[in-house]
Amino acid sequence: MNNLLMFHGRECPHCIVMMPIVDRLENETGIKIERLEVWHNEKNADLMRSYREIIEPKCGGQLRTPTFMNTETNDILCGEVKYEELKDWASE
Amino acid sequence: MKKYWRCHVCSDVHYGVNPPELCPTCKVLNAFVEISSAEAEKICGIAETTMDEVEFCDAIERFTVGNKFQINPDKNRVKTLLEGIFQNEKNYGMKYCPCRLTTKKFEEDLKLVCPCNFRIHDTYKDKEDGECWCGLFIRR
Ligand code: SF4
Ligand SMILES: [Zn+2]
């Protein structure tokens, strides 16, 4: 499994905004972010829940979508972010 | 702990730590008596009501009246959110927020039922152009 994950919801407007930004990052840098939909896939949802203790303190105490997670460093980014911010996070 | 209460005059049912002082329906003071969950369930089961997307929209529209927030005028955003809310109800039994994930603990997840208590969200509180986390409700 890739160490960069994006937990997203199919009907979440923030995720809908972030999708083309993730596409661009992947195309321009070759970095891959594994996209895991959580409201229509129980396995992905349980995976996100298993990271509760890491995600929640950085996302307003909740499991918000989108949440970007680096499973090696536990670096978290949540919500809508600008291309550059996502790139910085993914390149670390 | 929250308990069930019944108005001894009109049988309004209330679920809460304390009973309402004034019955919202019959306006009688100090009218509530504690009852069992089984009794409460029977009373609440008397009337069958529905809540489809149109009815839900009406309900949240009425909910905004007199409040400092409104439904987002961005129709597409609202449509996407409603889709998610109703998908979640179909799949998980409650109108869970499409922009956050449940914990699988029912009581805790009541905080994620739409409309949630978004007034405390960092995206809303103390913000002039505040909105609920998903942007369904925005400040007027
Ligand atoms: S954040 Fe907005 S859409 Fe989500 S549950 Fe709260 S009010 Fe509903
Ligand atoms: Zn009454």
Side-chain angles (χ1 to χ4, degrees):
Chain A
M1 194 166 75
N2 197 323
N3 66 316
L4 299 183
L5 309 179
M6 175 195 193
F7 293 107
H8 68 96
R10 192 173 78 191
E11 293 94 358
C12 168
H14 302 300
C15 296
I16 293 169
V17 169
M18 287 311 292
M19 280 307 173
I21 297 175
V22 175
D23 288 341
R24 184 181 154 201
L25 181 82
E26 290 189 329
N27 292 336
E28 287 185 13
T29 65
I31 293 171
K32 286 273 164 276
I33 298 183
E34 193 174 340
R35 302 173 211 206
L36 303 169
E37 208 288 332
V38 296
W39 268 123
H40 301 273
N41 182 315
E42 266 305 285
K43 221 174 112 216
N44 293 346
D46 281 337
L47 183 68
M48 187 181 190
R49 289 182 187 112
S50 74
Y51 293 125
R52 257 183 96 176
E53 279 167 29
I54 300 159
I55 296 172
E56 286 184 348
K58 289 170 183 158
C59 302
Q62 300 176 320
L63 294 174
R64 295 175 170 179
T65 56
T67 291
F68 296 91
M69 175 168 185
N70 181 328
T71 52
E72 264 167 32
T73 60
N74 286 346
D75 232 2
I76 303 285
L77 205 59
C78 51
E80 284 178 42
V81 293
K82 295 244 152 45
Y83 178 74
E84 292 307 324
E85 200 182 332
L86 183 70
K87 193 175 160 191
D88 284 351
W89 169 82
S91 319
E92 254 168 33
Chain B
M1 204 184 113
K2 290 192 182 181
K3 300 169 190 164
Y4 295 93
W5 311 83
R6 182 182 72 89
C7 170
H8 80 114
V9 178
C10 74
S11 283
D12 253 29
V13 172
H14 176 76
Y15 174 63
V17 177
N18 295 304
E21 260 179 66
L22 184 75
C23 176
T25 300
C26 70
K27 314 289 180 203
V28 171
L29 258 180
N30 303 324
F32 281 83
V33 187
E34 195 183 325
I35 57 170
S36 68
S37 59
E39 271 184 288
E41 210 177 308
K42 278 204 182 129
I43 298 169
C44 292
I46 292 173
E48 226 173 90
T49 62
T50 57
M51 185 60 61
D52 63 18
E53 276 195 42
V54 175
E55 289 162 329
F56 181 68
C57 282
D58 284 350
I60 59 175
E61 191 73 58
R62 272 179 272 128
F63 163 63
T64 66
V65 174
N67 271 312
K68 292 204 169 70
F69 47 80
Q70 60 179 353
I71 310 266
N72 198 325
D74 179 345
K75 293 260 185 312
N76 269 333
R77 190 181 190 99
V78 173
K79 190 171 165 269
T80 303
L81 287 168
L82 286 176
E83 251 170 56
I85 291 165
F86 276 81
Q87 278 286 321
N88 287 348
E89 185 180 37
K90 193 171 140 226
N91 297 332
Y92 302 101
M94 299 292 279
K95 292 185 178 64
Y96 291 120
C97 183
C99 317
R100 288 171 295 166
L101 183 64
T102 49
T103 63
K104 281 185 166 172
K105 295 195 180 82
F106 185 76
E107 261 195 87
E108 198 170 331
D109 291 338
L110 284 178
K111 291 183 189 142
L112 302 181
V113 176
C114 191
C116 67
N117 181 19
F118 56 85
R119 289 178 228 234
I120 61 169
H121 287 181
D122 46 13
T123 50
Y124 185 85
K125 207 176 156 218
D126 308 324
K127 287 230 165 93
E128 239 174 73
D129 55 351
E131 52 183 53
C132 76
W133 170 244
C134 300
L136 177 59
F137 295 97
I138 60 168
R139 262 191 216 282
R140 288 182 196 275

